[in-house]
Each structure stands twice: as C-alpha cells, then as structure tokens.
Amino acid sequence: MSAAPAVWKVALPRPIPAYDFAPPHGHAGPVPVGGRALVPWHGEPVVGLVVGAAEARGAHRLREAVALLDPPECPWVHPATVQALAQWVTDAHLPLGLVWSDLLGVGWEPSLTHRVRAVAGADLTAFAENAAPQPVPGPEWSDGAAYLPALLDAVREQGLLEEDFTPLARLVSRVFATGQGQSSLTPKQREAAEWLAEYPAQESLSSWARGAGVSTSVVAAVLAKGHAELRELAAPPPALPDPASAWTPTETDRVPQAECWRVSGGKFTGRMRALAPRVLSLLREGGSVLVLAPEHATLERAWSALSGLVAEAETEALLFSGLLSSEQRERAWQEIQQGQARLVIGPYLALSVPLPDLKLVIVLDEGSDAYKLPAGSRAWVPDVAQAIARAHGASLGTAGVTPAVETVKWPALELASPRVRLHTVDYSQPPQQPELGPLSMPGQAQGQLGYPLSHDLSRVLRQVQERGRQAALLAPRRGYSALLRCPQCEHVPHCPNCDVALRFHQQSRGMACHQCGYKGQVPHACEECGAAMWQTKGPGTEWIAQEVSRLLPGFPVYRLDKDHQDDLAELHAGAPGVVVGTQLLLSQPAPPELALVGITLADTWLNISDFRASERYHTLLWELAEWHPERAPLLLVQTFQGGHPALQAVGQGQSVSLYPQREWEIRQALGYPPHLCLAQVEVAARDRDKARSAADQVAAALHGVGAAPQEVLGPAPAPIARVRGMYPYHLLLRARSAERLRELLTAVDTVRAGRIRVDVSPRSVT
C-alpha cells in the first residue's frame, strides 16, 4: 500500500499563518521547500511559498495546490532561509505570511499564461447552469481568462479541471522597414524609410522620427503605406547596476575568526577596506557573501566600496533593492538562483535572496533604527539576519562607527576613532564658554540669549560665509515650530484626532499633525480667550533656516527634511552655502567643503523616555564626526546637558566602544536587552475606558499564567494618549529567554478585547 503524499504547508503574502494544501494532482516526490506554488484562495489561484510539510489530517479533505512554479532542484528561496524564518517567526510571535510578504521582494506576481480544459470525459455544463449561462471549458485547451474565476474554482475543487501555467515571455514592439509597400512615397517619406532600413528595430515612431529628422506624421504615413511594420520581439534583459572598478585589497585580513564579530571605529572607507580581505577570501573559495545596509545612502557607499572585489573572484556582484524595477529584481534574483552572482548588497529585501553556499552576512550600522520595519511585521532586521546566518552555518559580522550595545561584547577589530573637533555650547552654564567666547548672561530675553543660533554658532557661521565654505545644521524637527501658543492664556491648538500639539509650517501658513497627517489653517484668534496673536515655540528647520538667512544675507541657505528637499547639487559641487535639515542630512553625502556641523539642540535626542536614547545620541555624534570622508569639520553642539557622558566620550576622544560598554553594564543592572528579551504589547480602542479595561485584561491574563512582576511592566497610557482617534495603552514584557517570551505572548493571544499589537524587539520603548 503506497504512502499518502505529504501535505504542503504554504505561506501566502497575507497577514495569516501558513495553511495546509495537498500537492497538485499526480505530483510525487519530497516537499519542495522554498518553491513557489499556485494555490486556490478565495476563488482564484494565488502564489504562495512552500515552507514545509504539515501533518496529515486523516479523513479531512484538503484543497490541492494548482501548480508548482519552481523545479524542486532549484527552489525560489533557499530551504535554510525558509527554516530560519520559520523559527524566527515563532520567537517573534508573528503570522508567517506577514513576514514573508515583507521580506520576499520578488516572485509573488509572475507573468504566466493560463490554459484550461476539462478532464477527459467530463461534462461541465451543469457548472454553468447552476450559476448563470456562462461558457465552460471543453476538452481542448483554451485561455483561462475567458471563464469566470469562481466557475473555474468550482470545477477545480471537484477535480474536473486540467490547468497549465507557463511563464510568459516579455515582448517589446520594434519598428522595421519592409520594402514591400505598394503605395508611392513622398520625398520625406522615402527619406524616413531609407533611414529606418539603415537603423532598424526602432523603439517607437517617435524615436524613428527623431532619428530621421522628420515629423511623426511622416513616419506614420510610411507605416500606413506598408513600407514599415511593427514586430514583437523578445525583450532584452533589463540592465542592472554596474559594479565599481575592479580592485584588490592590499591589507591582510584582521577581522576576528568567530561566529559573530564586529568592525568598529574609523571612517566608512576604512571599515570597508578592513572588510574587503575577508569578503574576497570567501568569494575566491566559492562561497557567497550578503551585505545589508539600513538605507539608500549607506547602500550606495557599500556598493561603490565592495562590488569591485568580484573581478578577482570570478563571480558577479548584484545590487538588490526596492529601487530596482520589478523586472530588474526578477532578473537579479534569477542570476543569484543560478549561481552567477555570489556577492549581494542590499537593504532588508536582500535577506531572502537564494545565495548558494552562504558563508558570511555583514550588517552595516547594526544599531540603525532604519532596520526596524515601520509597519507590517515590524521585523528587526539584524535579528532576522542572525537567524539566517545561523541556519546557513555562516558567520555574522557587523560594521559601524560605533557598536550597538547588543554587539559590544563580540570579538572585534576596532579601528582608530575618527578625529573630532568638538565645541560645546552649554546653555545651562552660560558664563563657562571656552574658545569662541561666552554667551549672554542668564536673565536676558530668548533672542538675546542666543537660541536657536547661539553667539558662538553665529560667529562660526559668519566665518563660513567670509571664507566661502560650507556648513550643515541639524535641526530638532521639521516645520517652523513645534507649536503655537497664545501669549495671553497659553492655549495651544491641538490635533482633533491625536493628543499632540499641531506643528506650525510657515511656508504653507498652515498647521499639521505629524502623527496622523491632519492639516488645518492657523486660527485667526485664540479659541479660549480671543487673542489674535500667537507665539511660536520650539524651532524647526524653517525657523532655523530663516534665522541663518537673516544672519548671513545673500548667502545660499538650503533646507532638507521630509516636507521640503532643496536641490543640493551646487552644494555638492563645492559651492558655498548652509544646509539646514533633520537627521535626513545623513542620508546625503557630506558637502565637499564642509567646515562646520552644528546640532542646534542636542537635547532633542536625550529628552525621550526610552532606554536607548543616550545610545542613539552617542552614535549620532560619532556619525556626524565621521560624515565627511576626509576632513574633520568643527562639530558644534548646543545643549542644556553639556556634561552628558555620551557627549564627553566623543569630546575626550575615547574608544568608540567605551560608552556602549558602559550602557551594556547599566542595562544588565536594569534588565534590558541584550540581557533579556523584550516585547511591547499595545492595546487600543476608540473609547478610553474600553482601552484601559482591555489592557487590564491582558495584564490579568499574563499574571494568570505566572508572570512575575518584573516580567510585566504596565499597563500604562502611551506617551501620546490618543493617536488617530484611538487610545493606546502599553505593556512591556521582559523575559529571560525567547522560550519564556513565547509563553507570555501565548497568554496575550487569549484576550479578545480591543486592538492588540505585539512588537518583539521594539526600537521605541516609551
């Protein structure tokens, strides 16, 4: 008696767990883990990923998969990656389909021809009569698009439908001369036809007309008279980014030989030179290397620095990111699948690329918050990268100017710290200002006190103008000001949907909520007391740029933030000027003649009730110090906390890992990562009392399964008490292990009240 075929577990790109399907009729062999399968879903076949075998369900009848799209010997995703994601999803307590929807950037919508026919001897007339008079498939192959999807699914479910799915070749139209036209041509038309005969395969009538130097009406007439024709040709493969110039590292490999290691300190180019010998050695041995970058600027720099190594290893390098078109990503994926490229550089979308014999995963700037997906699965990419490296038996390396607290104890190659020229303007101690002169004494008006541009910063900016140099000022926020306040009664206009003050944008003369996107006009008068004057508080990019323009009349001033992005081409070409922006500045190359980097209010990064706030501040200071690849511009920091240890660590030229080591010890004492596993549970409802009650139910469920007081913090209202009309409450779970965290999250699943969201490895804990 033959064994029953294995049941496939298939993940669909939906926020749902993997579902069980029977193999396609007649399929034999092992479960094709990592292959794509078409499965019936809501009446139509959709693409899913086979993630493993499921237990047979006895007499329960499963729907059959419609087709397997990838040969078992060449799966779309490497089985080890599938295994790693399955384990990580279990720890993260997420639906498997949601995670694959986020991390698999190509392959969900292949171009296929769909043909159908009835199985031999089957009469499908009854299916059409039960619904409405509709055509039904006959015994001959026909186009599946000619039939209602629901009808096909009903026939499919009864096992009476044969289907064929074939990849659809991409075609393009090209114009060719024929020489077979019968109608006579005018002189201009003849000239156009002769040009086309000499330069065939034109992309369009417009390109033909431009090349021949005639109007489009002339070439259209040549086509209409039969002297030219359109032909469908196989589309050429889309072009992919070219690697950098070939180079061979001259340094020896100094990276630690360990399962997990880090490279810290130095400048970006120095870290890439330190990584290059290890990368090249593994490529020469036939292994593969995956390099992950948090955002586009780092991705481009890594591509320029490392892609040239492949010439020495007889392989290819591929840039795989969401900036490529879908056709480019598909071509890159297929080249990786076929083993043509063994060095891949990309953002989180590159995590699942099917690299053969993966030997090394490198995570650049491993502490960057850009690695936290803002929606969907909210995956923390370094955790996923570590799981994938472990499943492949590969090493995991990180490289950043400062190590994350989670990696500070790893074996390390630590380069010399970047040179720093730091000047601190401490608003809390105005008389004690060194080199550049004192600020005004306390008790003066805000404008006289020197904010947002202190006297020291103003003085250096004037020097920048006089010498024709460049400066960059980091602002605490976008817009003109954090809020408007009535000077009579101190009333502040708030968002109608969120419990936050509306931000004032002077350029648009409007007010906006940076939580939900609400926009409104500035009130003519205070709704509380009727006063017609408003006072701005909390300078943003607009305000600071305006102050710089007043200070430096005639000097170019640019803005760069989420709302407004000036063209910085002249600045990057070396022209003098000042750019004012948010942290988005670091996504741009440093201006070549940069002489000054100013942080207008460093306390913005510190005055957050998050245990990672000081680590982020420390990293930001070092990133600004190493921003320019060659020189060390003056770093001027305006703050009310001039004695903060993170700032002092940079100013004293300490090792870049010294402050993270101090943070590691503090977190050990307080019970925060990396010493414990963390998850944030958000419970929200449109009624405040219902939200509080639901949060209390979650807490009760946790304590009901034995959660200790130190394992559950809260519930408490979120720092922003109302967001988009919802009242969120937070609970913070701290578990000694991933297994214990799963036990606690299982208890959360038992609560059916409010909207509950779980974020494992949260990056913003407030």
Side-chain angles (χ1 to χ4, degrees):
M1 184 176 180
S2 60
V7 177
W8 295 358
K9 190 171 284 292
V10 180
L12 302 175
R14 309 284 192 277
I16 55 177
Y19 277 79
D20 297 349
F21 290 89
H25 182 71
H27 178 87
V31 177
V33 176
R36 293 171 302 162
L38 282 171
V39 296
W41 186 256
H42 290 189
E44 295 190 52
V46 300
V47 175
L49 189 73
V50 181
V51 296
E55 295 182 1
R57 299 194 178 190
H60 182 73
R61 183 173 178 271
L62 294 171
R63 294 296 302 272
E64 289 183 352
V66 177
L68 181 64
L69 299 182
D70 304 300
E73 65 276 7
C74 190
W76 193 250
V77 179
H78 197 288
T81 301
V82 175
Q83 174 192 348
L85 262 293
Q87 181 59 51
W88 181 82
V89 162
T90 301
D91 293 340
H93 208 71
L94 291 168
L96 188 60
L98 180 63
V99 175
W100 275 113
S101 177
D102 281 346
L103 299 185
L104 184 58
V106 65
W108 294 118
E109 297 180 357
S111 297
L112 301 168
T113 59
H114 181 200
R115 299 189 305 158
V116 297
R117 69 179 179 185
V119 300
D123 183 3
L124 306 183
T125 308
F127 287 92
E129 293 175 350
N130 289 339
Q134 295 290 341
V136 294
E140 303 297 329
W141 288 110
S142 56
D143 185 2
Y147 309 101
L148 291 175
L151 183 143
L152 290 181
D153 192 55
V155 179
R156 183 185 298 122
E157 188 171 9
Q158 298 303 317
L160 300 178
L161 187 68
E162 291 186 42
E163 298 181 84
D164 175 69
F165 293 88
T166 306
L168 186 63
R170 290 181 58 246
L171 300 175
V172 292
S173 294
R174 294 291 183 263
V175 188
F176 290 85
T178 63
Q180 300 175 358
Q182 301 300 319
S183 303
S184 59
L185 300 176
T186 66
K188 280 193 174 182
Q189 293 170 353
R190 188 178 303 107
E191 180 182 347
E194 292 172 352
W195 185 91
L196 183 61
E198 187 175 355
Y199 302 99
Q202 289 298 305
E203 293 184 359
S204 64
L205 295 183
S206 298
S207 64
W208 174 18
R210 285 195 302 271
V214 298
S215 67
T216 53
S217 60
V218 172
V219 298
V222 176
L223 183 68
K225 292 179 178 181
H227 291 269
E229 64 180 2
L230 291 172
R231 298 179 192 169
E232 295 287 336
L233 303 177
L240 295 175
D242 293 324
S245 301
W247 71 285
T248 303
T250 56
E251 300 180 10
T252 58
D253 186 357
R254 298 182 291 151
V255 172
Q257 295 288 345
E259 181 181 349
C260 296
W261 48 262
R262 64 177 173 88
V263 175
S264 306
K267 293 210 172 187
F268 187 86
T269 53
R271 294 192 296 274
M272 294 303 103
R273 285 195 299 268
L275 292 172
R278 177 64 56 86
V279 172
L280 181 56
S281 173
L282 293 173
L283 293 176
R284 282 173 171 168
E285 294 170 3
S288 298
V289 178
L290 172 63
V291 181
L292 297 174
E295 34 71 31
H296 182 61
T298 306
L299 176 62
E300 285 192 333
R301 295 167 75 189
W303 177 253
S304 298
L306 296 176
S307 61
L309 294 172
V310 295
E312 288 287 323
E314 298 181 354
T315 185
E316 295 179 12
L318 282 177
L319 183 69
F320 188 87
S321 81
L323 295 179
L324 302 179
S325 67
S326 58
E327 291 81 9
Q328 287 175 311
R329 290 199 301 275
E330 186 169 356
R331 180 195 170 190
W333 195 277
Q334 291 169 348
E335 290 193 7
I336 298 167
Q337 198 179 28
Q338 295 161 9
Q340 299 177 33
R342 290 186 283 108
L343 174 60
V344 174
I345 302 174
Y348 72 94
L349 286 177
L351 274 169
S352 55
V353 294
L355 279 167
D357 196 18
L358 182 63
K359 293 297 185 184
L360 175 62
V361 178
I362 299 175
V363 181
L364 303 178
D365 299 337
E366 73 273 18
S368 172
D369 288 333
Y371 279 125
K372 183 69 173 180
L373 301 193
S377 64
R378 299 187 183 182
W380 174 238
V381 171
D383 283 353
V384 183
Q386 188 166 5
I388 290 175
R390 189 183 302 117
H392 283 265
S395 299
L396 177 70
T398 64
V401 63
T402 61
V405 175
E406 288 79 2
T407 65
V408 72
K409 295 295 185 180
W410 290 5
L413 168 62
E414 197 157 299
L415 308 176
S417 301
R419 177 170 170 254
V420 182
R421 297 168 55 221
L422 177 66
H423 176 73
T424 302
V425 175
D426 190 347
Y427 284 113
S428 67
Q429 300 180 20
Q432 301 176 17
Q433 294 302 315
E435 310 104 16
L436 301 179
L439 291 173
S440 302
M441 294 298 292
Q444 292 182 315
Q446 183 182 18
Q448 297 172 318
L449 189 61
Y451 183 75
L453 303 182
S454 66
H455 294 178
D456 291 0
L457 179 56
S458 298
R459 182 175 175 180
V460 181
L461 284 170
R462 290 191 187 99
Q463 292 176 358
V464 168
Q465 182 185 35
E466 291 167 2
R467 299 174 186 178
R469 303 291 291 280
Q470 299 172 328
L473 300 184
L474 194 64
R477 60 186 62 84
R478 55 193 166 103
Y480 187 83
S481 66
L483 53 86
L484 291 181
R485 186 173 66 182
C486 175
Q488 301 296 325
C489 68
E490 298 192 349
H491 169 71
V492 175
H494 275 63
C495 173
N497 308 315
C498 308
D499 190 19
V500 294
L502 290 170
R503 300 284 177 89
F504 174 51
H505 292 252
Q506 188 181 56
Q507 187 173 12
S508 62
R509 299 300 301 171
M511 306 185 72
C513 174
H514 290 181
Q515 293 293 323
C516 69
Y518 168 84
K519 293 184 179 180
Q521 296 299 314
V522 177
H524 295 292
C526 174
E527 60 185 22
E528 296 292 328
C529 69
M533 296 293 292
W534 292 104
Q535 183 181 41
T536 53
K537 299 290 289 184
T541 52
E542 283 186 86
W543 186 340
I544 294 171
Q546 185 181 87
E547 292 293 319
V548 174
S549 296
R550 289 174 180 170
L551 178 70
L552 310 176
F555 201 58
V557 178
Y558 305 89
R559 270 179 55 208
L560 188 74
D561 56 43
K562 185 178 178 181
D563 299 326
H564 183 96
Q565 298 180 21
D566 287 328
D567 184 1
L568 304 182
E570 290 190 13
L571 203 65
H572 289 308
V578 178
V579 56
V580 179
T582 58
Q583 210 162 333
L584 190 64
L585 281 172
L586 288 172
S587 68
Q588 299 279 326
E593 298 298 321
L594 188 65
L596 168 69
V597 177
I599 304 180
T600 57
L601 187 59
D603 304 71
T604 305
W605 284 267
L606 289 171
N607 296 341
I608 302 172
S609 57
D610 189 320
F611 70 91
R612 288 194 178 92
S614 60
E615 179 191 6
R616 291 190 179 100
Y617 178 48
H618 178 256
T619 300
L620 173 66
L621 292 172
W622 279 116
E623 286 177 343
L624 291 172
E626 67 126 18
W627 187 26
H628 197 286
E630 298 170 359
R631 60 168 55 132
L634 176 68
L635 178 59
L636 193 151
V637 179
Q638 298 182 164
T639 178
F640 286 88
Q641 302 178 58
H644 194 280
L647 180 59
Q648 291 185 337
V650 176
Q652 295 169 5
Q654 297 176 0
S655 162
V656 293
S657 64
L658 194 61
Y659 187 78
Q661 287 174 0
R662 175 181 177 273
E663 282 287 298
W664 189 93
E665 294 166 358
I666 292 174
R667 293 187 196 176
Q668 185 179 37
L670 298 178
Y672 282 106
H675 308 286
L676 292 177
C677 297
L678 209 63
Q680 184 170 271
V681 181
E682 181 183 276
V683 185
R686 293 198 173 274
D687 180 82
R688 189 194 303 269
D689 293 335
K690 289 182 179 179
R692 184 188 303 112
S693 174
D696 289 339
Q697 291 180 50
V698 172
L702 289 165
H703 293 301
V705 297
Q710 64 269 22
E711 289 183 313
V712 181
L713 302 181
I720 301 177
R722 184 168 60 107
V723 180
R724 295 181 176 88
M726 303 287 285
Y727 292 89
Y729 279 72
H730 288 170
L731 298 96
L732 193 64
L733 309 185
R734 302 188 299 177
R736 61 184 178 274
S737 66
E739 292 73 18
R740 178 56 177 163
L741 186 60
R742 285 201 301 269
E743 293 174 6
L744 296 177
L745 292 177
T746 300
V748 174
D749 287 343
T750 64
V751 179
R752 297 289 183 268
R755 184 198 67 191
I756 299 177
R757 291 178 175 174
V758 175
D759 184 5
V760 175
S761 296
R763 296 299 295 179
S764 178
V765 179
T766 53

